[in-house]
Every structure is written in C-alpha cells, then in structure tokens.
Amino acid sequence: MNFSNSYLGLGSSFYKKEQPTAVQAPQLFLWNSQLAEQLLVSNDYQQDPITLAEIFSGNRILSGSEPIATAYAGHQFGNFVPQLGDGRAHLLGEVLDQYGKGWDIQLKGSGPTFFSRGGDGRCAIGPAVREFIMSEAMDALGIPTTRSLAVVTTGEPVFRETVLPGAVVTRVASSHIRVGTFQYFAARGDFESLKNLCDYVIERHYPELEAESPQRYIKLIDTVIEKQIRLVVEWMRVGFIHGVMNTDNTSVAGETIDYGPCAMMGVYNPGTVYSSIDRMGRYAFANQPTIMQWNMARFSECLLPLIDTDSERAIEQVQPLIVEFGNRFKQAYLQMLGRKLGLIAVQPEDEKLLFSFLNCLELGEMDYTITFDRLTKSLNSEAISDQIKEAFGEDYDLWRLRLNQQDVSIEEIYQIMKHNNPVVIPRNHHMEAVIEQCETTRDVTKAENFLKVLRSPYQEIEETSQYQDLPLDGDKYYQTFCGT
Ligand code: AMP
Ligand code: MG
C-alpha cells in the first residue's frame, strides 16, 4: 500500500498527530480479500495473517503512513457539540486503488486520542463485525457506503455494560469529511480553514466544480444535497434505517457512514425506530429525508460567509436550495418507488398508485423486502400473482394495466424490478445471531456464510433461503445500541 496523506496539508487545525495504542494479541478475524485486491494490498501481506493483524490493529505502522485523528464538531440529536473528533479512530492515510481512485484508510477502536473525551478509544467485537457486514451488504446492494477491509481482535477486553472482546475495524472511505468538519471551523469563526476545506473537498470529490468560481460554493451545496438525496432514497429502497443521522455522521462525499445503531426495516412501517437512544423517533425510517434536509441546512449555514460577505445576500442564494429539498427528494423517491414496481418513467398520475401500494403494505403489516420480491415474481407466476392480488386488491390490477401500457416486454420489466428489489437483506435477527457467535466463540463461520449470501442480494444462491425468514416476534422488541 502506498500511503499519502493530503489531509495533512490542510494544516494542524484540522487534526492531531496521534499514534494507535498497541494491543496485546492481535488476530485477523475478518478479511475482505476482494477489497484488498482493489486496494493493491501486496500479495506478500495477503498471504500472511500475522502481519495483516499487526498492521490492521495499529501495532505496526507502514512506511508512508502518518496517523492522525481528525477534528470535527456535530449536532447530535439536534444539540450542537463544538468539538467531537476521532476519539477512537486513526486515519492512517490515503491510498490509490487499481482504478486510480483515492481512499482513506482508517482504524477504528485503535486507542484513545486528543478527542476521546474520557472514552477508552476502543471498540467491541460486535460493533466491528456489524460495521463490516452491514457496509459490505450495502455495497453489494449498490448503495454508496464506506467499506471494511478488516476486523482484527485485540486480545484485550473492553468494558461496556458487560466485558466484551475488543476489536479494531479498518474502514475504507472516499474521505472522512463530514458536515461536522465544516461546523467545526464555522463555529470557531475560522473562515480561512473553512475556505481551504471547501476547496479541498471540491478538488477531491467534485473536481467538476473547480471551473465554477465564483459560484463554486453554492454549487458545492447543490451537489452535496443531490448526493444526500440519492443516498437516502437508496436507503429507503431497501428499508435501511441509519439510526444516528447526526451531522458528524453525514459524509460530504455522500456515503453511508457509521453503522453503530443501524437496522433493517422488516414489516413496512414508516415510523420504525430501533435505536435505544432515539426515544423521540427523530431518526425513524420515514423521517430520514427531513433529517437530511435539516443536516443540509446546517451544512449550508457553514458556507454562508464564503458565498457573500453580506449575510442577507448569502442567505438569499442558499435558502431556495433548502426550501426545494422536499420536492427534489420527492421526485427522486417517486422514481425509485416506480423502479421497484417496474415503471420506467414515473408520471405525475402514478403517484396515487405508488402511495396506495405503500399504504396497503402498512395496513397489511407486510414485510417490505418479501412483498416487493413477491410482486417481482408475480410477473412470471400465476400462482404468486393470484396470492399477492389478494393483498393488494384492485391496485394490483391497476398496476398490471399500467405496466402493460409501457412499451417494453414483461421480461424487461421483470429485470428492472429484480435489480431494484433485493431477495435478501441483512435482517436484524440474523445480524444478532452472527454477532453473538463472534462474541462468544470467536468462530467466524456464521459471519462468512452471512456475507456470502449478502454479497448476492439480487440473486438467490443455494444458501439464500436460510436468511429470508422473518423474525418470530416481528422485531417488535428489537433494539440497537450506539457502538461506543
Ligand atoms: P459516534 O457515536 O460513533 O458517531 O461517535 C461520536 C463521538 O464519540 C466521536 O467523537 C467518537 O470519536 C466518540 N467516541 C465514541 N466512542 C468512543 C470511545 N469508546 N472512546 C473514545 N471516543 C469515543
Ligand atoms: Mg460517528
């Protein structure tokens, strides 16, 4: 791996130089060999789990890597915290993959830093495994996300509500720049750093905006909004609930980041919340677009001083983007729903039918994934078609009529639906069973089997059926916890 670290060039207000704290007995637990190939991890290392464990626990720092903990702020559940930062993570540096794309390599759980605020800087095996599996599942589903290269167990206990095995997860991301990174400098009135950050983000993520000056910052807001809309629409396509959409967990590159309390919605219910700390349902399934709009408002506020020195004039330019968010989201959301139901282009008159389908799902307490899979299969099976028709009544006939009006074959429609409706998702009860096995036996078999199936989310393989079952209690009592 050839490390560089362009983030260092931004200056010392952006980070603290920090070394990971060595762990007692690192052991490679999960390894993502496909991602390792992409990242050009040398074959010598790939054959050598002992060396990999040393590198990806933080015990051994490769030459060229200069570990840092990055500074950021953030709104947590709506409350502003002016300084958060990497309290248990080290950015090892950036590497180029085989396609020339740059990636941050970050260790999480690698020891305390300047930003730890009393935390131990460590991570338990459960949250590390959850992040690895969930992010790989999301990637396979085609949803922008950070990736996971490795989970290494540390041989040390971490003390949470109980004593748990410790682990370090290696996160691979387009970058770790968050809305909270902008807030950190805006809150300090450090507009020079803020401008440098914006220019850095444009150069690194949105180079097409370079030519846009003096409009580049407003365009940056517009582009980041577009990315976030696409992201949340994609979450909602598969029933993903992020669970902790704080501004420090909102990546300006538009990737899903931070898999702490995330979960998958089973039965379709817009109000679904699983996170134990989200008592008000702020981050409920159907609230995600509104929260993203709120996060984008916070992002835009940071950029106002760069857009115009006269704040009224700056607001005048930015406000329409925030006001329009709702409509813009709705259009993207309707197109997505349309694709789930085989519509090539959603027309305004389709809206009623699309929402009527969702309403039926909700009233009938139907499983989101299974129902759309059955609707897909109903195109090619009279038996399934007859069954599912009972659930949707005349809407089903209206839908089939609408499909027939399209100028394409049923086979083509079937393909569109197949590519938008997964046959399997990382269901919560399976995720928990896998985590429990990792915690108690340190046996990776269940995790590897789960990953194999999740890497083929649109195509049933032999083992898929073992993961399609519904939880016995309908996840009524299911709760997730922040991975701290
Ligand atoms: P998160 O809930 O993972 O988004 O983290 C929010 C903030 O808490 C970040 O600044 C983290 O670095 C910090 N944090 C979370 N867990 C720990 C820990 N075990 N030790 C130190 N800092 C932590
Ligand atoms: Mg976080």
Side-chain angles (χ1 to χ4, degrees):
M1 288 173 119
N2 280 329
F3 281 101
S4 62
N5 205 334
S6 64
Y7 209 71
L8 283 171
L10 283 166
S12 59
S13 55
F14 282 77
Y15 54 81
K16 294 277 180 219
K17 287 195 177 177
E18 293 277 358
Q19 293 295 317
T21 305
V23 301
Q24 239 163 43
Q27 259 197 317
L28 192 62
F29 190 70
L30 289 170
W31 178 247
N32 191 337
S33 45
Q34 179 254 326
L35 182 58
E37 302 267 306
Q38 186 186 328
L39 293 173
L40 305 169
V41 175
S42 106
N43 270 338
D44 293 348
Y45 288 153
Q46 290 226 49
Q47 311 292 329
D48 178 1
I50 294 174
T51 303
L52 289 179
E54 294 216 312
I55 297 170
F56 296 105
S57 60
N59 278 19
R60 176 167 159 192
I61 300 299
L62 292 176
S63 71
S65 157
E66 285 184 76
I68 55 174
T70 68
Y72 54 86
H75 274 93
Q76 298 185 308
F77 290 88
N79 302 309
F80 187 63
V81 184
Q83 183 173 296
L84 290 164
D86 293 328
R88 54 163 167 173
H90 292 82
L91 180 60
L92 296 180
E94 299 138 36
V95 297
L96 290 181
D97 72 7
Q98 61 187 156
Y99 311 110
K101 180 180 164 19
W103 296 95
D104 269 7
I105 310 290
Q106 188 206 57
L107 301 181
K108 186 171 169 181
S110 41
T113 72
F114 175 83
F115 301 105
S116 296
R117 295 175 298 150
D120 61 1
R122 292 300 181 191
C123 178
I125 191 171
V129 167
R130 184 192 300 276
E131 169 142 352
F132 191 105
I133 294 179
M134 286 302 295
S135 61
E136 284 311 290
M138 292 291 267
D139 182 67
L141 283 160
I143 300 176
T145 178
T146 63
R147 305 285 304 276
S148 300
L149 180 62
V151 172
V152 175
T153 52
T154 60
E156 294 176 4
V158 297
F159 300 94
R160 298 293 181 257
E161 265 154 37
T162 54
V163 183
L164 296 163
V168 176
V169 58
T170 302
R171 184 194 274 161
V172 177
S174 285
S175 83
H176 283 84
I177 303 167
R178 313 128 192 278
V179 169
T181 316
F182 289 80
Q183 291 180 296
Y184 180 85
F185 295 107
R188 281 163 179 71
D190 181 353
F191 301 129
E192 193 187 326
S193 296
L194 197 63
K195 185 176 180 306
N196 291 340
L197 178 61
C198 282
D199 291 341
Y200 178 85
V201 165
I202 288 173
E203 189 185 335
R204 185 161 171 185
H205 296 304
Y206 306 112
E208 68 278 11
L209 303 183
E210 301 232 15
E212 294 284 349
S213 69
Q215 284 289 310
R216 60 209 315 245
Y217 301 124
I218 195 95
K219 291 266 180 185
L220 177 63
I221 296 174
D222 186 51
T223 307
V224 171
I225 287 177
E226 182 63 29
K227 283 267 176 185
Q228 306 299 334
I229 286 176
R230 280 196 221 163
L231 182 65
V232 177
V233 162
E234 282 290 275
W235 289 352
M236 294 179 81
R237 176 170 67 81
V238 300
F240 179 77
I241 307 170
H242 184 283
V244 62
M245 288 173 68
N246 295 335
T247 55
D248 55 303
N249 294 331
T250 302
S251 147
V252 292
E255 288 171 347
T256 314
I257 189 168
D258 199 326
Y259 285 90
C262 71
M264 300 302 296
M265 178 179 66
V267 168
Y268 180 76
N269 181 345
T272 307
V273 179
Y274 293 117
S275 167
S276 58
I277 54 169
D278 190 5
R279 294 202 184 85
M280 309 293 280
R282 180 180 168 92
Y283 300 139
F285 177 73
N287 251 6
Q288 298 184 114
T290 316
I291 290 296
M292 192 51 91
Q293 178 182 27
W294 193 88
N295 288 352
M296 289 298 98
R298 304 290 78 76
F299 175 58
S300 309
E301 280 165 5
C302 297
L303 272 59
L304 289 175
L306 304 183
I307 287 168
D308 201 308
T309 43
D310 178 314
S311 66
E312 300 259 315
R313 278 210 304 264
I315 291 171
E316 241 168 62
Q317 290 184 65
V318 171
Q319 206 164 29
L321 289 174
I322 302 303
V323 173
E324 260 306 300
F325 186 102
N327 263 334
R328 206 166 155 181
F329 182 87
K330 187 174 168 194
Q331 292 317 314
Y333 178 69
L334 285 173
Q335 293 302 329
M336 176 278 285
L337 278 183
R339 284 192 297 277
K340 275 180 90 65
L341 284 166
L343 300 187
I344 290 157
V346 172
Q347 304 300 329
E349 54 275 21
D350 292 323
E351 188 178 326
K352 193 166 157 241
L353 183 65
L354 295 175
F355 285 131
S356 184
F357 258 81
L358 287 183
N359 201 29
C360 225
L361 272 149
E362 186 181 352
L363 291 178
E365 298 184 11
M366 290 180 237
D367 182 83
Y368 192 56
T369 303
I370 289 188
T371 307
F372 277 100
D373 183 40
R374 308 271 304 158
L375 285 165
T376 308
K377 287 172 177 150
S378 81
L379 295 182
N380 290 333
S381 155
E382 234 171 83
I384 298 178
S385 163
D386 287 345
Q387 274 171 18
I388 199 127
K389 208 167 144 167
E390 277 181 36
F392 287 97
E394 69 164 355
D395 279 348
Y396 186 84
D397 296 323
L398 286 172
W399 171 56
R400 293 298 297 257
L401 269 173
R402 172 69 178 86
L403 290 186
N404 286 335
Q405 287 164 4
Q406 300 191 113
D407 208 11
V408 289
S409 67
I410 283 292
E411 179 50 32
E412 282 170 84
I413 294 170
Y414 175 75
Q415 289 304 332
I416 293 171
M417 289 183 68
K418 227 177 132 42
H419 284 101
N420 284 281
N421 297 310
V423 293
V424 67
I425 54 164
R427 288 192 185 274
N428 306 326
H429 61 295
H430 286 294
M431 192 72 238
E432 294 304 327
V434 165
I435 286 175
E436 197 191 321
Q437 193 190 36
C438 294
E439 263 172 12
T440 52
T441 68
R442 244 46 67 75
D443 176 5
V444 295
T445 321
K446 264 195 177 165
E448 299 282 9
N449 292 347
F450 198 27
L451 274 165
K452 181 178 174 201
V453 166
L454 293 174
R455 284 185 167 132
S456 172
Y458 301 107
Q459 200 64 50
E460 271 149 311
I461 59 172
E462 205 184 315
E463 299 89 343
T464 304
S465 60
Q466 296 167 28
Y467 299 94
Q468 288 170 310
D469 60 311
L470 303 180
L472 293 175
D473 66 354
D475 276 344
K476 240 184 209 131
Y477 307 105
Y478 184 61
Q479 277 204 318
T480 58
F481 301 89
C482 261
T484 49

